[in-house]
């Protein structure tokens, strides 16, 4: 929460932005469900915030891991980080506005996108759902939850601004994935003014600090295939920022894309494409272009933590990519974790009833320009209505698995 020294300034700013922010956040709906919103165990955070983005209790050694090994080819346990991550402070929106950081000096790789990954996606052997499965062997819901949710690969979120520990945390995941011959899905989520000060507020104190954090994040990427979901909401939910602040954020995202791709040419970096129920393709493409997605990334992601049907999202993604322009290799990935029955009625985003699991994660979609269907949000981790925000809720998980 903001410190007392900043309360008057924040209160003044919030009064000016309240109406605009509330309107924007209503459109974003479930997209504002935090890093673990992928349903993954959040890397490097242990705070008790009550947010819409899942905030699971961190495991004792490495926090970000939300998947479970396949029955046929178990994934090895990821090696521990060099030092246990320290508890992160409660996220807060900084009183000081982000400032532009100097551009990185590392040479960027070619603007040509990396080839789409064609290996199996990584399932880490630690997650809230797996903990529940192990602790409840006699629960009648266990077989369904285990086979339909716990057995699927899911993304790993990194939501703490922890420059001293982030490289080791990312490296632990990428090494585990490389040993298993699989592709990890990683979600850096620490942009300043994250979520426009809403339920998932937090992030780095300013853009210079964020740039430094991303450089450390990139240092842990390794050399194998990886999928990076760069900062959910950072582009689609940027209208709450002043024009100069938005431009500075977009410049930082462009630097982040270049840094990640230079560090690991096999990593594919996807920029925030919102979802089909939000901005028009033309508006989203213009923002993506301003953020360097066509030159500093490999494509876009859509539907993170949302519910829109896969067919709607793939059609929308292609329209955004067409409007964006750029190299022909640009593609899209779609979060299909909870979209089996499509979107609920307008305004219903918090664990809405009647939803279902969507397409299981895969990098072989058979769809032009659609590189993967991913579970960025882990089904069963609450948005804050069926259970505490970020907690695994078996009733909700079972409803999704049988919906």
């Amino acid at each position: 929460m903001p410190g007392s020294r900043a309360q008057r300034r924040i209160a003044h700013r919030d009064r000016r932005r309240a109406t605009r922010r509330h309107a924007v956040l209503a459109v974003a709906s479930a997209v504002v469900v935090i890093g673990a919103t992928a349903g993954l165990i959040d890397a490097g955070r242990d705070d008790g915030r009550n947010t819409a983005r899942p905030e699971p209790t961190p495991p004792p050694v490495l926090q970000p891991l939300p998947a479970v090994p396949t029955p046929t080819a178990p994934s090895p346990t990821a090696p521990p980080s060099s030092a246990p991550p320290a508890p992160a402070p409660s996220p807060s929106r900084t009183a000081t506005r982000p400032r532009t950081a100097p551009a990185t000096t590392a040479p960027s790789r070619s603007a040509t996108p990396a080839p789409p990954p064609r290996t199996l996606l990584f399932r880490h052997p630690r997650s809230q759902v797996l903990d529940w499965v192990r602790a409840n062997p006699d629960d009648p819901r266990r077989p369904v939850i285990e086979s339909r949710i716990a057995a699927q690969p899911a993304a790993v979120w990194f939501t703490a601004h922890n420059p001293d520990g982030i490289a080791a945390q990312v490296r632990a995941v990428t090494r585990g994935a490389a040993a298993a011959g699989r592709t990890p899905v990683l979600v850096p989520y620490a942009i300043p003014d994250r979520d426009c000060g809403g339920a998932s507020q937090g992030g780095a104190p300013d853009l210079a600090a964020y740039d430094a954090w991303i450089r450390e994040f990139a240092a842990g990427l390794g050399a194998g295939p990886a999928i990076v979901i760069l900062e959910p909401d950072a582009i689609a939910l940027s209208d709450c920022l002043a024009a100069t602040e938005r431009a500075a954020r977009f410049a930082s995202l462009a630097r982040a894309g270049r840094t990640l791709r230079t560090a690991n040419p096999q990593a594919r970096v996807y920029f925030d494409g919102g979802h089909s129920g939000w901005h028009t393709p033309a508006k989203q493409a213009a923002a993506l272009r301003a953020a360097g997605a066509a030159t500093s990334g490999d494509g876009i992601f859509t539907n993170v933590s949302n519910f829109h049907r896969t067919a709607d999202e793939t059609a929308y993604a292609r329209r955004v990519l067409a409007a964006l322009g750029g190299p022909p290799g640009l593609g899209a990935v779609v979060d299909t974790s909870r979209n089996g029955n499509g979107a609920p009625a307008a305004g219903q985003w918090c664990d809405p009833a009647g939803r279902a699991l969507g397409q299981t994660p895969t990098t072989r979609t058979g769809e032009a320009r659609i590189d993967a269907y991913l579970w960025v949000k882990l089904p069963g981790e609450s948005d804050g209505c069926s259970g505490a925000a970020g907690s695994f809720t078996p009733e909700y998980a079972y409803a999704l698995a049988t919906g």
Side-chain angles (χ1 to χ4, degrees):
M1 293 203 208
S4 58
R5 65 182 180 279
Q7 286 178 345
R8 279 199 290 177
R9 179 165 27 172
I10 290 175
H12 176 69
R13 180 182 61 198
D14 287 350
R15 282 196 298 272
R16 290 186 291 110
R17 293 184 174 176
T19 301
R20 176 173 53 180
R21 180 185 302 136
H22 292 164
V24 173
L25 292 178
V27 177
S29 67
V31 180
V32 299
V33 242
I34 190 167
T37 210
L40 324 183
I41 293 186
D42 166 25
R45 180 167 298 290
D46 182 16
D47 56 56
R49 66 180 174 179
N50 181 17
T51 75
R53 283 208 184 264
E55 193 67 40
T57 301
V61 179
L62 180 66
Q63 288 145 297
L65 320 169
V68 15
T70 61
T72 54
S75 303
T77 301
S81 58
S82 56
S90 298
S92 62
R93 193 176 186 194
T94 62
T96 302
R97 307 304 299 170
R99 64 177 182 271
T100 304
T104 57
T105 57
S108 61
R109 87 173 186 215
S110 166
T112 303
R118 285 294 179 264
T119 58
L120 293 175
L121 294 168
F122 183 52
R123 317 180 223 199
H124 199 282
R126 301 199 60 174
S127 66
Q128 288 195 97
V129 62
L130 184 55
D131 288 345
W132 182 87
V133 165
R134 288 171 173 162
N136 295 273
D138 300 323
D139 193 299
R141 299 165 298 185
R142 180 181 183 269
V144 169
I145 291 174
E146 181 177 21
S147 63
R148 299 183 189 178
I149 296 178
Q152 299 302 328
V156 178
W157 290 68
F158 301 84
T159 69
H161 176 249
N162 55 341
D164 293 336
I166 186 64
Q169 291 171 346
V170 174
R171 189 176 296 114
V173 177
T174 56
R175 283 180 175 174
R182 302 189 178 194
T183 299
V185 179
L186 311 170
V187 187
Y189 190 65
I191 198 79
D193 270 333
R194 184 174 68 197
D195 197 30
C196 290
S200 298
Q201 64 182 314
D206 54 50
L207 291 176
Y210 179 73
D211 287 354
W213 184 82
I214 279 289
R215 288 193 293 271
E216 292 300 313
F217 187 104
L221 280 179
I227 294 173
V228 180
I229 305 299
L230 181 61
E231 296 295 338
D233 298 337
I235 297 174
L237 193 60
S238 64
D239 285 349
C240 68
L241 302 175
T244 55
E245 296 165 346
R246 187 162 53 250
R249 172 183 285 190
F250 287 177
S252 183
L253 288 171
R255 290 192 294 272
R258 291 193 299 269
T259 297
L260 294 164
R261 297 170 84 217
T262 298
N264 180 357
Q266 289 203 66
R268 284 186 62 92
V269 180
Y270 294 89
F271 281 60
D272 175 27
H275 59 71
S276 61
W278 203 343
H279 300 306
T280 66
K283 178 177 180 178
Q284 192 64 32
L288 283 159
R289 191 179 305 110
T295 55
S296 299
D298 298 277
I300 66 172
F301 61 82
T302 76
N303 210 42
V304 166
S305 301
N306 221 286
F307 306 89
H308 295 274
R309 291 187 184 276
T310 302
D312 295 334
E313 289 303 301
T314 57
Y316 173 75
R318 291 192 189 99
R319 289 194 294 270
V320 173
L321 289 171
L324 177 61
L330 293 180
V333 296
V334 177
D335 185 354
T336 59
S337 58
R338 304 189 295 179
N339 73 346
N341 287 340
Q348 296 181 17
W349 62 268
C350 187
D351 303 331
R355 303 311 95 202
L357 302 176
Q359 166 78 42
T360 54
T362 180
T363 59
R364 299 180 182 274
T365 68
E367 294 281 344
R369 305 198 76 174
I370 307 301
D371 296 342
Y373 300 134
L374 305 175
W375 282 11
V376 185
K377 162 77 174 180
L378 190 62
E381 290 191 359
S382 176
D383 296 325
C385 293
S386 63
S391 64
F392 178 76
T393 309
E395 294 83 359
Y396 180 43
Y398 187 75
L400 289 168
T402 56

